[in-house]
Amino acid sequence: MKIVTYRELESKNSLLPLLDHAFGWTFNPRTFETIIKIDPRLKNSPVGFFAVEKGNVIGSVGVMDMVTRTLNGSIEYVGGIYGVATLPSHVRKGVSTALMNAAHQHFKVKGYSFSFLWTSRALVAHAMYEKLGYVDMLERSTAYKVLEAEKNKCIHKEKASKLDLKDILKIYDKYVKSRAGFVLRDKAYMNTLRRTESLSAKDCIIDKDGYAIFKTNLGGPWIRGTWIRELVALNAGAMGRLLRLVEKKSKDLIYDRAVFDDALLEVYKSRGYMIQKRSHSTLMVKPINAKESFKQTYGEKFYLTSLDFF
Ligand SMILES: CC(C)(COP(=O)(O)OP(=O)(O)OC[C@H]1O[C@@H](n2cnc3c(N)ncnc32)[C@H](O)[C@@H]1OP(=O)(O)O)[C@@H](O)C(=O)NCCC(=O)NCCS
């Protein structure tokens, strides 16, 4: 077995069965190439480490360059792990462990303080990450509401216009000013989100104190749900106002799978949403070159939204 980086990988095509088996992603080498060129987290990175046997990719561990803001306002560069997978025919032979170690060595050389990853405690991978020195740091709260059936509710379909990333970024920067976490965004990052998350003006409401980004009609016409991807507002009044507007545009049900702001959670509660504070899903962290612990570096509240999932 040989370990190579994504950039050294001769044929990327065998990533398709590997990632489809592991995650149900039909990996498309062409669109991925485009994403690598624009995503600031991948642009200058090896993208990932891959185990190759007889010309086939049998395992993968993706790596990202990520940037965080600490409790004292300084910028801290960290590593991000994604796409951890081994072909079913090759599991339990140490493939993933070898690739994770290659990723950690890479982060060490880069001088990154921590390595981050998202997983679920329901997966066997969780035990592997614990073995490798990761600990659970953050869960995500969720909010759900089944909307009253409204006969003849007419959802107004707007003409597609351009998504105002500049205004969104301005409000976001104000909102996260004194927060620690994945809170540093720039134009390039916003553009990447627009592309990779298919953000569009019709799925966004902006007012002067906040904005909501959402997706409607996920899962086909028989599941008419609205998924709130990011609701950011400078005060609880604006949060409630935006939420009411999103509800007006929604049919049947509405949900937010990642609420990391207590004030927003209270707003969801006050509008009758079902709240779950715990999740199987967990952000795990491993110190690499860290001088201080995670809590000393970021405090009690590490902020991100579902748009920052990786
Ligand atoms: C999780 C996964 C990547 C592990 O890959 P792997 O190459 O088999 O991992 P390793 O052989 O290095 O295993 C390392 C350790 O993980 C744990 N582990 C892996 N598979 C396990 C299983 N089926 N049951 C229990 N523990 C398991 C064990 O502690 C193992 O060490 P051990 O074999 O010495 O007991 C692989 O099962 C997979 O692709 N799963 C589907 C995709 C996925 O869930 N990815 C993670 C998303 S966050």
Side-chain angles (χ1 to χ4, degrees):
M1 178 182 91
K2 203 167 82 176
I3 294 182
V4 297
T5 68
Y6 179 83
R7 311 223 181 245
E8 294 161 337
L9 207 52
E10 273 171 36
S11 167
K12 272 110 182 157
N13 293 352
S14 54
L15 288 175
L16 173 55
L18 174 69
L19 298 175
D20 192 46
H21 266 283
F23 310 113
W25 299 342
T26 45
F27 174 80
N28 179 330
R30 285 185 203 114
T31 47
F32 193 58
E33 282 297 320
T34 318
I35 291 166
I36 290 170
K37 286 192 188 114
I38 59 165
D39 191 331
R41 297 169 301 183
L42 295 172
K43 226 170 159 175
N44 303 308
S45 97
V47 182
F49 293 92
F50 296 85
V52 182
E53 200 176 81
K54 295 181 192 147
N56 277 328
V57 182
I58 58 164
S60 69
V61 167
V63 290
M64 279 185 169
D65 301 318
M66 302 182 79
V67 56
T68 60
R69 184 160 58 214
T70 67
L71 195 57
N72 66 21
S74 63
I75 293 175
E76 188 73 49
Y77 292 93
V78 298
I81 299 273
Y82 67 97
V84 177
T86 298
L87 271 185
S89 48
H90 289 72
V91 291
R92 222 61 198 266
K93 291 179 181 159
V95 172
S96 232
T97 302
L99 293 170
M100 289 292 289
N101 287 336
H104 297 147
Q105 182 54 29
H106 165 69
F107 292 156
K108 197 169 180 169
V109 171
K110 295 281 272 185
Y112 292 166
S113 51
F114 296 99
S115 171
F116 286 74
L117 61 86
W118 274 105
T119 190
S120 164
R121 276 188 291 259
L123 294 175
V124 292
H126 188 260
M128 174 177 80
Y129 297 138
E130 282 189 322
K131 239 181 179 172
L132 288 165
Y134 285 82
V135 291
D136 292 341
M137 271 310 164
L138 191 67
E139 290 180 31
R140 52 189 174 91
S141 298
T142 43
Y144 307 88
K145 188 176 187 175
V146 179
L147 299 169
E148 296 275 312
E150 286 180 62
K151 268 196 186 152
N152 306 322
K153 183 174 180 179
C154 169
I155 306 285
H156 182 59
K157 287 212 170 118
E158 283 150 30
K159 263 202 207 151
S161 58
K162 222 172 152 237
L163 184 69
D164 196 341
L165 294 178
K166 230 170 74 197
D167 273 5
I168 290 175
L169 193 54
K170 227 193 270 170
I171 296 167
Y172 177 82
D173 280 344
K174 256 195 215 171
Y175 173 75
V176 298
K177 204 168 61 188
S178 52
R179 290 174 194 260
F182 291 124
V183 292
L184 295 163
R185 293 181 179 176
D186 58 12
K187 233 175 112 195
Y189 187 74
M190 294 305 290
N191 263 322
T192 306
L193 287 182
R194 184 172 54 78
R195 251 338 245 278
T196 54
E197 304 289 336
S198 312
L199 307 183
S200 71
K202 76 171 173 42
D203 291 336
C204 179
I205 299 171
I206 310 181
D207 81 4
K208 68 175 179 33
D209 286 335
Y211 63 86
I213 296 173
F214 48 93
K215 283 251 163 279
T216 45
N217 282 351
L218 290 155
W222 55 93
I223 305 173
R224 292 186 300 190
T226 297
W227 176 18
I228 298 189
R229 305 301 314 280
E230 186 164 283
L231 196 154
V232 157
L234 305 179
N235 53 64
M239 285 174 186
R241 195 165 60 240
L242 285 161
L243 194 50
R244 271 196 304 278
L245 291 171
V246 180
E247 286 173 9
K248 263 177 117 173
K249 280 174 161 270
S250 308
K251 264 192 177 171
D252 297 338
L253 54 109
I254 184 160
Y255 54 93
D256 185 337
R257 288 200 178 113
V259 191
F260 295 105
D261 180 326
D262 292 340
L264 179 59
L265 205 60
E266 284 307 312
V267 171
Y268 279 125
K269 238 190 241 170
S270 71
R271 292 198 57 75
Y273 282 68
M274 297 175 271
I275 306 292
Q276 281 294 318
K277 284 204 159 189
R278 305 285 319 265
S279 63
H280 292 305
S281 152
T282 167
L283 182 69
M284 298 189 87
V285 180
K286 171 188 165 70
I288 302 284
N289 295 309
K291 292 181 199 77
E292 291 183 314
S293 71
F294 182 85
K295 289 269 160 73
Q296 285 166 328
T297 310
Y298 297 107
E300 292 298 322
K301 296 266 173 214
F302 188 91
Y303 187 74
L304 74 157
T305 77
S306 72
L307 285 182
D308 302 302
F309 284 172
F310 53 95

